[in-house]
Amino acid sequence: MILFDCDGVLLDSEEIADRILCESLSTLLKTEQHHSEMSDPLFLKQWIIDHCGQTDENILQRFSEFTRVNPPHDFLSQFQTTLFKTLSHEVKPIPGMKKLLESLEDKWAVASNSSLKRLKISLKQGGLINLCESRLFSSEQVGKAKPAPDLHLHIAEQYDVVPNECLVIEDSAAGVKAGLKAGMRVIGFIGGSHITPKHIDFLKMAGPEKLINNSDELSDFFTTWKSE
């Protein structure tokens, strides 16, 4: 059983989400006349990148704790409205991923911290919805989001497979930790445009067994994995 993260693995969407969130939080800080490291756009952008793979709600909570700025009650919904609209026009698949998914047998699924609504919007624009729609799983369907193992374990149960027979493909430290906590093998994927040297360092520290650069390398790894 193969479990793919979506944003940053199947879709090159993380850079878009980071940009929209950075713009939204910058506007909030200016409105609140807040001055700290977060007021520096470069610092804020890197801070957001460092929280890759976490839910919007969790990132916003950490932002509030860091800055002592409480966003208005509709901040998250407004941000997501802007994000979904942007994704519906801009998001593209990671090169080669469609062909790779088409080559796989039945036991694979998409395991994401993103909402089902966001996943469907992004996958439709990225040309992957027909392949993935019946295999979509979101952290909103379980008790805790990644880095908790709940989502990965839920999917394994749905497909009636044991965790140690699952292979997880993740681009974030949170996702890697979730897969490992679930007792699964985990590969770190670094083929997205959002990947930086610091991001790779975070990914390595989370403990995947291997880092893979693109869909061709991933396809080669799958061939080896199936023969083990």
Side-chain angles (χ1 to χ4, degrees):
M1 181 76 192
I2 303 172
L3 280 62
F4 293 90
D5 182 39
C6 185
D7 298 297
V9 174
L10 299 181
L11 298 173
D12 203 4
S13 50
E14 285 289 358
E15 191 172 49
I16 298 171
D18 290 349
R19 185 184 81 230
I20 300 301
L21 183 56
C22 189
E23 291 171 356
S24 299
L25 292 177
S26 291
T27 299
L28 175 62
L29 290 173
K30 290 177 182 177
T31 301
E32 296 292 325
Q33 298 184 335
H34 177 86
H35 301 287
S36 71
E37 301 102 320
M38 285 290 200
S39 303
D40 179 350
L42 293 178
F43 182 94
L44 177 58
K45 180 180 179 181
Q46 186 59 58
W47 184 88
I48 291 170
I49 291 172
D50 292 348
H51 289 77
C52 175
Q54 300 186 29
T55 63
D56 296 337
E57 292 82 359
N58 191 32
I59 293 174
L60 193 58
Q61 180 181 346
R62 290 179 179 271
F63 173 84
S64 296
E65 292 170 352
F66 190 95
T67 62
R68 303 301 179 188
V69 172
N70 294 316
H73 67 89
D74 61 346
F75 177 89
L76 188 59
S77 62
Q78 289 190 8
F79 158 69
Q80 291 177 339
T81 296
T82 302
L83 175 61
F84 294 169
K85 183 178 180 180
T86 307
L87 290 170
S88 71
H89 290 93
E90 294 187 17
V91 73
K92 296 179 180 179
I94 296 289
M97 280 299 179
K98 182 175 183 180
K99 181 179 179 181
L100 177 59
L101 294 179
E102 289 173 338
S103 73
L104 297 178
E105 298 174 357
D106 286 340
K107 284 197 173 181
W108 64 271
V110 179
S112 176
N113 265 354
S114 295
S115 66
L116 288 170
K117 182 178 179 179
R118 172 176 168 176
L119 289 171
K120 291 177 181 179
I121 289 171
S122 298
L123 288 165
K124 181 179 180 180
Q125 173 61 20
L128 299 179
I129 190 64
N130 290 339
L131 284 168
C132 299
E133 189 165 20
S134 64
R135 306 168 186 271
L136 289 183
F137 293 87
S138 164
S139 63
E140 65 186 7
Q141 297 171 288
V142 296
K144 295 181 180 179
K146 307 172 193 177
D150 300 34
L151 181 59
H152 293 97
L153 293 173
H154 172 70
I155 296 172
E157 183 179 356
Q158 294 301 304
Y159 282 84
D160 195 26
V161 295
V162 294
N164 63 10
E165 292 179 357
C166 295
L167 177 66
V168 175
I169 317 299
E170 289 279 358
D171 71 306
S172 71
V176 169
K177 291 174 183 177
L180 293 175
K181 288 177 184 176
M184 301 175 179
R185 293 179 67 177
V186 184
I187 295 299
F189 185 78
I190 53 174
S193 61
H194 64 297
I195 299 296
T196 64
K198 186 176 181 182
H199 186 113
I200 292 174
D201 289 341
F202 279 142
L203 207 54
K204 286 179 179 177
M205 286 188 289
E209 66 177 78
K210 185 179 179 67
L211 296 183
I212 284 181
N213 293 285
N214 54 54
S215 60
D216 288 338
E217 289 185 16
L218 197 54
S219 180
D220 291 342
F221 182 86
F222 287 164
T223 300
T224 303
W225 176 61
K226 290 177 182 178
S227 64
E228 292 179 358

